Amino acid sequence: MNRIATITLILIAVAVACTRPVATADRQWTEQTTEVDTPTIVSTQEISSADLLKRLMGADFSIAGSVVVKKIHYQSTYNGKPIYLSGIVALPNDNDTIREIVISNHWTICSDAECPSESWPMDIALCATRRAMVVCADYYGYGLTATQVHPYLDALSTARHSTDCFRAALLLCNSHNTLATNYRTYNIGYSQGGAVALAVQRYIESNVAIDSVARIEKTLCGAGPYDPVACYREYLNVDTLAYPVVVPMIIAGMKLSYPDMFENISESDFFSNEFNTAGISDSVKSKQYTAEQLNSLICNAVGAATPRNIFSVASLDSTSVISQKLLEALELNNLTTGWIPKHRVQFFHSTADVVVPIINTQNALKAFGECPTDSAIIANMGTHNNAAMLFYQQVLQNNIFE
């Protein structure tokens, strides 16, 4: 989980004025809904429920039944163009009627070997313990599209891709199990995945045809970067970047998603000479290295992972064009403005989290007002990574299904 120190780095990456940037190139969350064909099944692996839990949780469980995990390719779109993406769908392998569906949104990854279709996430255990169908998208830039840049923190695109994986999984479920007429969907994620989960809910609720089949019962968001600008204000005086690898991921992702906004601005404009000379951005895009390895490469290249060692003078200047453009792009991905959730949301956050600060959840709760939010789980649960373990304990102990 320690690969997900997302927001500290986003916001230290630029010095921003105290006023919130004005987003001028917003894309619409409500879209013309396209049909999704039955996904292509690339591979199928059957595993006993006991062995699955042993693999994911490292402990022995006495539990009957088996699970089948299918790697799929499915249709979606990116920047208005049709694409195929990959993901996995885990199903009970005993013809059980599916009454619960879990959309699992993964945290920050750097190596393609860490994507769900290559390295099963812990959430799949719910297929064994609850006999739920669990759906995990790789996201654009991983799995089938690993040669492409991942649009990191692009809330709308990633939400669409995760939702389309879910829609494809519904078709697959109908050919493998019986889908109950009263099925319900639970939507979960931590850190980057927490923000993606909230974005998935926004996307689904913004598109009536999808909302009617999604049947979201609840979204559980753990410590996500819902409000990037507020995060920046919290971390303005932080000297050390806890997870420097996400900086080139963010800049590359924003440039990819908003090409007109970053016209005539190169990625290298944001970084110091030492950073650029070391070829860090190319190493990140290769998808061959873990976050830990990339963080070491960065520190070896620039020394201490401080903003002044990593960023160019222009990117640290709050009045520079590149700083304003990056902050404008990040503001387009602020999930605490422009909508109010219709379905239940529950937030989970440690007050001691210095990676993704508690102000994200506070601002979300404040902005959403009287929306149907469950009581937020907010307490001193230790660091961001320690709280992640507690978050998944909540998930695997079935507490989100109450």
Side-chain angles (χ1 to χ4, degrees):
M1 301 282 171
N2 59 0
R3 63 177 63 92
I4 17 177
T6 305
I7 288 306
T8 300
L9 308 177
I10 300 171
L11 302 168
I12 295 174
V14 287
V16 61
C18 290
T19 57
R20 187 176 290 275
V22 177
T24 60
D26 200 4
R27 294 169 290 172
Q28 298 300 312
W29 287 79
T30 302
E31 302 180 323
Q32 181 66 42
T33 304
T34 57
E35 294 297 323
V36 174
D37 291 339
T38 301
T40 301
I41 300 173
V42 179
S43 64
T44 300
Q45 181 174 347
E46 183 179 355
I47 184 170
S48 71
S49 296
D51 287 345
L52 177 67
L53 295 178
K54 176 73 171 180
R55 171 174 171 172
L56 296 175
M57 304 173 70
D60 293 319
F61 292 84
S62 178
I63 186 170
S66 65
V67 168
V68 61
V69 180
K70 296 179 181 289
K71 180 178 179 178
I72 64 169
H73 291 171
Y74 65 96
Q75 293 173 301
S76 190
T77 61
Y78 181 64
N79 279 348
K81 298 179 180 179
I83 57 172
Y84 279 88
L85 299 171
S86 55
I88 56 172
V89 181
L91 295 153
N93 199 34
D94 49 14
N95 296 317
D96 272 7
T97 297
I98 301 296
R99 293 181 170 81
E100 296 170 343
I101 302 172
V102 176
I103 302 175
S104 168
N105 303 283
H106 70 73
W107 50 82
T108 300
I109 61 175
C110 295
S111 166
D112 188 56
E114 299 169 295
C115 73
S117 65
E118 300 297 331
S119 178
W120 298 349
M122 193 178 298
D123 320 46
I124 291 181
L126 292 169
C127 188
T129 60
R130 299 234 9 137
R131 315 308 290 164
M133 178 173 76
V134 183
V135 183
C136 312
D138 284 337
Y139 301 164
Y140 182 82
Y142 297 101
L144 182 62
T145 55
T147 59
Q148 305 300 313
V149 174
H150 169 50
Y152 193 60
L153 296 191
D154 180 338
L156 175 56
S157 293
T158 309
R160 183 193 301 115
H161 299 159
S162 188
T163 301
D164 284 346
C165 190
F166 160 75
R167 295 170 66 202
L170 286 179
L171 299 176
L172 187 64
C173 177
N174 283 326
S175 65
H176 188 275
N177 297 74
T178 301
L179 190 61
T181 57
N182 62 342
Y183 70 87
R184 289 292 180 266
T185 300
Y186 297 83
N187 173 36
I188 63 177
Y190 188 85
S191 201
Q192 183 196 5
V196 174
L198 192 60
V200 164
Q201 175 154 341
R202 180 176 183 178
Y203 181 76
I204 288 174
E205 291 182 353
S206 299
N207 295 277
V208 176
I210 301 176
D211 195 21
S212 64
V213 298
R215 302 184 186 177
I216 292 181
E217 181 70 16
K218 182 177 179 179
T219 292
L220 180 62
C221 300
Y226 319 117
D227 188 342
V229 173
C231 283
Y232 168 77
R233 290 173 178 162
E234 287 288 305
Y235 287 92
L236 188 61
N237 296 317
V238 172
D239 294 327
T240 303
L241 303 185
Y243 230 70
V245 64
V246 300
V247 176
M249 293 176 67
I250 292 159
I251 292 169
M254 291 296 101
K255 274 182 57 63
L256 180 70
S257 294
Y258 306 99
D260 293 341
M261 190 181 299
F262 291 92
E263 187 177 9
N264 300 320
I265 298 175
S266 68
E267 291 177 42
S268 62
D269 291 338
F270 289 91
F271 298 110
S272 66
N273 289 334
E274 292 79 6
F275 186 99
N276 289 326
T277 301
I280 300 298
S281 292
D282 289 339
S283 296
V284 172
K285 292 176 183 177
S286 75
K287 313 288 174 58
Q288 298 298 310
Y289 301 95
T290 65
E292 289 79 7
Q293 291 170 327
L294 290 165
N295 285 333
S296 294
L297 287 175
I298 293 171
C299 291
N300 289 339
V302 305
T306 65
R308 293 189 181 278
N309 286 349
I310 291 176
F311 299 112
S312 65
V313 172
S315 66
L316 290 173
D317 178 1
S318 64
T319 65
S320 72
V321 172
I322 64 173
S323 290
Q324 291 298 309
K325 291 297 184 182
L326 182 57
L327 265 289
E328 182 182 342
L330 290 173
E331 178 63 17
L332 290 173
N333 297 282
N334 183 354
L335 292 167
T336 69
T337 63
W339 73 302
I340 299 293
K342 301 174 185 176
H343 302 299
R344 293 166 58 200
V345 182
Q346 186 171 32
F347 292 96
F348 179 104
H349 218 129
S350 173
T351 56
D353 193 336
V354 295
V355 174
V356 182
I358 188 65
I359 195 170
N360 283 278
T361 292
Q362 291 170 336
N363 283 2
L365 291 171
K366 185 187 304 182
F368 295 156
E370 299 301 318
C371 79
T373 54
D374 285 15
S375 297
I377 301 174
I378 298 176
N380 186 341
M381 295 174 279
T383 67
H384 185 73
N385 299 328
N386 289 341
M389 299 303 176
L390 295 175
F391 173 86
Y392 282 101
Q393 285 180 19
Q394 291 284 324
V395 170
L396 298 178
Q397 291 172 359
N398 303 324
N399 293 346
I400 67 166
F401 297 94
E402 296 175 355

mmCIF file of all heavy atoms in Angstrom, residues 47-68:
data_model
loop_
_atom_site.group_PDB
_atom_site.id
_atom_site.type_symbol
_atom_site.label_atom_id
_atom_site.label_comp_id
_atom_site.label_asym_id
_atom_site.label_seq_id
_atom_site.Cartn_x
_atom_site.Cartn_y
_atom_site.Cartn_z
ATOM 1 N N ILE A 47 -10.042 -21.417 -8.685
ATOM 2 C CA ILE A 47 -9.281 -21.594 -7.453
ATOM 3 C C ILE A 47 -10.268 -21.824 -6.314
ATOM 4 O O ILE A 47 -11.353 -21.230 -6.281
ATOM 5 C CB ILE A 47 -8.393 -20.350 -7.173
ATOM 6 C CG1 ILE A 47 -7.526 -20.557 -5.942
ATOM 7 C CG2 ILE A 47 -9.226 -19.087 -7.061
ATOM 8 C CD1 ILE A 47 -6.465 -19.464 -5.750
ATOM 9 N N SER A 48 -9.935 -22.709 -5.398
ATOM 10 C CA SER A 48 -10.827 -22.944 -4.264
ATOM 11 C C SER A 48 -10.895 -21.692 -3.403
ATOM 12 O O SER A 48 -9.948 -20.902 -3.348
ATOM 13 C CB SER A 48 -10.338 -24.130 -3.423
ATOM 14 O OG SER A 48 -9.166 -23.784 -2.712
ATOM 15 N N SER A 49 -12.005 -21.514 -2.744
ATOM 16 C CA SER A 49 -12.171 -20.342 -1.880
ATOM 17 C C SER A 49 -11.107 -20.305 -0.798
ATOM 18 O O SER A 49 -10.560 -19.246 -0.468
ATOM 19 C CB SER A 49 -13.568 -20.346 -1.251
ATOM 20 O OG SER A 49 -14.564 -20.219 -2.241
ATOM 21 N N ALA A 50 -10.765 -21.482 -0.247
ATOM 22 C CA ALA A 50 -9.743 -21.542 0.806
ATOM 23 C C ALA A 50 -8.381 -21.123 0.265
ATOM 24 O O ALA A 50 -7.645 -20.367 0.904
ATOM 25 C CB ALA A 50 -9.682 -22.942 1.394
ATOM 26 N N ASP A 51 -8.037 -21.617 -0.927
ATOM 27 C CA ASP A 51 -6.751 -21.251 -1.515
ATOM 28 C C ASP A 51 -6.701 -19.773 -1.900
ATOM 29 O O ASP A 51 -5.647 -19.138 -1.804
ATOM 30 C CB ASP A 51 -6.468 -22.121 -2.744
ATOM 31 C CG ASP A 51 -6.097 -23.553 -2.387
ATOM 32 O OD1 ASP A 51 -5.777 -23.801 -1.209
ATOM 33 O OD2 ASP A 51 -6.143 -24.418 -3.285
ATOM 34 N N LEU A 52 -7.836 -19.241 -2.350
ATOM 35 C CA LEU A 52 -7.888 -17.818 -2.691
ATOM 36 C C LEU A 52 -7.601 -16.962 -1.466
ATOM 37 O O LEU A 52 -6.797 -16.012 -1.516
ATOM 38 C CB LEU A 52 -9.255 -17.461 -3.275
ATOM 39 C CG LEU A 52 -9.466 -15.983 -3.599
ATOM 40 C CD1 LEU A 52 -8.559 -15.534 -4.737
ATOM 41 C CD2 LEU A 52 -10.934 -15.703 -3.949
ATOM 42 N N LEU A 53 -8.242 -17.282 -0.352
ATOM 43 C CA LEU A 53 -8.034 -16.512 0.863
ATOM 44 C C LEU A 53 -6.611 -16.676 1.380
ATOM 45 O O LEU A 53 -6.010 -15.720 1.888
ATOM 46 C CB LEU A 53 -9.043 -16.929 1.933
ATOM 47 C CG LEU A 53 -10.513 -16.621 1.602
ATOM 48 C CD1 LEU A 53 -11.426 -17.119 2.715
ATOM 49 C CD2 LEU A 53 -10.728 -15.137 1.365
ATOM 50 N N LYS A 54 -6.049 -17.852 1.225
ATOM 51 C CA LYS A 54 -4.656 -18.075 1.623
ATOM 52 C C LYS A 54 -3.725 -17.206 0.779
ATOM 53 O O LYS A 54 -2.793 -16.585 1.300
ATOM 54 C CB LYS A 54 -4.313 -19.550 1.433
ATOM 55 C CG LYS A 54 -2.852 -19.905 1.724
ATOM 56 C CD LYS A 54 -2.551 -19.882 3.208
ATOM 57 C CE LYS A 54 -1.176 -20.443 3.481
ATOM 58 N NZ LYS A 54 -0.839 -20.450 4.925
ATOM 59 N N ARG A 55 -3.991 -17.143 -0.512
ATOM 60 C CA ARG A 55 -3.157 -16.357 -1.418
ATOM 61 C C ARG A 55 -3.246 -14.874 -1.121
ATOM 62 O O ARG A 55 -2.240 -14.163 -1.120
ATOM 63 C CB ARG A 55 -3.585 -16.632 -2.864
ATOM 64 C CG ARG A 55 -2.951 -15.717 -3.905
ATOM 65 C CD ARG A 55 -3.319 -16.151 -5.302
ATOM 66 N NE ARG A 55 -2.908 -15.173 -6.301
ATOM 67 C CZ ARG A 55 -2.968 -15.369 -7.614
ATOM 68 N NH1 ARG A 55 -3.412 -16.527 -8.087
ATOM 69 N NH2 ARG A 55 -2.586 -14.430 -8.454
ATOM 70 N N LEU A 56 -4.447 -14.384 -0.844
ATOM 71 C CA LEU A 56 -4.646 -12.948 -0.670
ATOM 72 C C LEU A 56 -4.340 -12.463 0.737
ATOM 73 O O LEU A 56 -3.894 -11.327 0.917
ATOM 74 C CB LEU A 56 -6.083 -12.573 -1.034
ATOM 75 C CG LEU A 56 -6.500 -12.784 -2.490
ATOM 76 C CD1 LEU A 56 -7.979 -12.486 -2.660
ATOM 77 C CD2 LEU A 56 -5.677 -11.910 -3.432
ATOM 78 N N MET A 57 -4.591 -13.330 1.740
ATOM 79 C CA MET A 57 -4.522 -12.875 3.115
ATOM 80 C C MET A 57 -3.462 -13.597 3.939
ATOM 81 O O MET A 57 -3.203 -13.228 5.089
ATOM 82 C CB MET A 57 -5.898 -13.021 3.772
ATOM 83 C CG MET A 57 -6.986 -12.280 3.001
ATOM 84 S SD MET A 57 -8.670 -12.575 3.614
ATOM 85 C CE MET A 57 -8.589 -11.689 5.168
ATOM 86 N N GLY A 58 -2.861 -14.640 3.370
ATOM 87 C CA GLY A 58 -1.759 -15.315 4.045
ATOM 88 C C GLY A 58 -2.159 -16.101 5.268
ATOM 89 O O GLY A 58 -1.343 -16.314 6.170
ATOM 90 N N ALA A 59 -3.403 -16.538 5.305
ATOM 91 C CA ALA A 59 -3.871 -17.302 6.469
ATOM 92 C C ALA A 59 -4.776 -18.423 5.987
ATOM 93 O O ALA A 59 -5.327 -18.379 4.876
ATOM 94 C CB ALA A 59 -4.608 -16.394 7.451
ATOM 95 N N ASP A 60 -4.927 -19.438 6.827
ATOM 96 C CA ASP A 60 -5.774 -20.586 6.489
ATOM 97 C C ASP A 60 -7.209 -20.329 6.938
ATOM 98 O O ASP A 60 -7.460 -19.855 8.044
ATOM 99 C CB ASP A 60 -5.244 -21.854 7.163
ATOM 100 C CG ASP A 60 -3.892 -22.276 6.601
ATOM 101 O OD1 ASP A 60 -3.710 -22.195 5.370
ATOM 102 O OD2 ASP A 60 -3.023 -22.682 7.404
ATOM 103 N N PHE A 61 -8.147 -20.631 6.048
ATOM 104 C CA PHE A 61 -9.568 -20.476 6.352
ATOM 105 C C PHE A 61 -10.279 -21.768 5.975
ATOM 106 O O PHE A 61 -9.965 -22.390 4.957
ATOM 107 C CB PHE A 61 -10.175 -19.318 5.558
ATOM 108 C CG PHE A 61 -9.669 -17.957 5.957
ATOM 109 C CD1 PHE A 61 -8.486 -17.461 5.424
ATOM 110 C CD2 PHE A 61 -10.372 -17.183 6.867
ATOM 111 C CE1 PHE A 61 -8.013 -16.208 5.781
ATOM 112 C CE2 PHE A 61 -9.912 -15.927 7.233
ATOM 113 C CZ PHE A 61 -8.724 -15.439 6.687
ATOM 114 N N SER A 62 -11.238 -22.151 6.795
ATOM 115 C CA SER A 62 -12.074 -23.299 6.484
ATOM 116 C C SER A 62 -13.328 -22.789 5.785
ATOM 117 O O SER A 62 -14.251 -22.272 6.423
ATOM 118 C CB SER A 62 -12.445 -24.066 7.773
ATOM 119 O OG SER A 62 -13.288 -25.157 7.473
ATOM 120 N N ILE A 63 -13.341 -22.903 4.473
ATOM 121 C CA ILE A 63 -14.442 -22.362 3.700
ATOM 122 C C ILE A 63 -14.629 -23.209 2.453
ATOM 123 O O ILE A 63 -13.659 -23.644 1.824
ATOM 124 C CB ILE A 63 -14.177 -20.883 3.318
ATOM 125 C CG1 ILE A 63 -15.390 -20.265 2.631
ATOM 126 C CG2 ILE A 63 -12.914 -20.736 2.483
ATOM 127 C CD1 ILE A 63 -15.275 -18.763 2.453
ATOM 128 N N ALA A 64 -15.863 -23.489 2.132
ATOM 129 C CA ALA A 64 -16.178 -24.354 0.994
ATOM 130 C C ALA A 64 -16.295 -23.523 -0.286
ATOM 131 O O ALA A 64 -16.281 -22.296 -0.269
ATOM 132 C CB ALA A 64 -17.470 -25.112 1.265
ATOM 133 N N GLY A 65 -16.423 -24.236 -1.396
ATOM 134 C CA GLY A 65 -16.686 -23.578 -2.666
ATOM 135 C C GLY A 65 -15.425 -23.177 -3.406
ATOM 136 O O GLY A 65 -14.299 -23.356 -2.928
ATOM 137 N N SER A 66 -15.635 -22.639 -4.585
ATOM 138 C CA SER A 66 -14.519 -22.185 -5.408
ATOM 139 C C SER A 66 -14.913 -20.922 -6.145
ATOM 140 O O SER A 66 -16.086 -20.536 -6.198
ATOM 141 C CB SER A 66 -14.099 -23.275 -6.396
ATOM 142 O OG SER A 66 -15.134 -23.544 -7.327
ATOM 143 N N VAL A 67 -13.901 -20.289 -6.695
ATOM 144 C CA VAL A 67 -14.056 -19.018 -7.388
ATOM 145 C C VAL A 67 -13.417 -19.151 -8.762
ATOM 146 O O VAL A 67 -12.399 -19.835 -8.922
ATOM 147 C CB VAL A 67 -13.369 -17.888 -6.581
ATOM 148 C CG1 VAL A 67 -13.255 -16.606 -7.393
ATOM 149 C CG2 VAL A 67 -14.127 -17.634 -5.285
ATOM 150 N N VAL A 68 -13.978 -18.489 -9.748
ATOM 151 C CA VAL A 68 -13.372 -18.430 -11.063
ATOM 152 C C VAL A 68 -13.041 -16.970 -11.361
ATOM 153 O O VAL A 68 -13.877 -16.085 -11.176
ATOM 154 C CB VAL A 68 -14.282 -19.033 -12.158
ATOM 155 C CG1 VAL A 68 -15.598 -18.293 -12.265
ATOM 156 C CG2 VAL A 68 -13.565 -19.043 -13.502
#
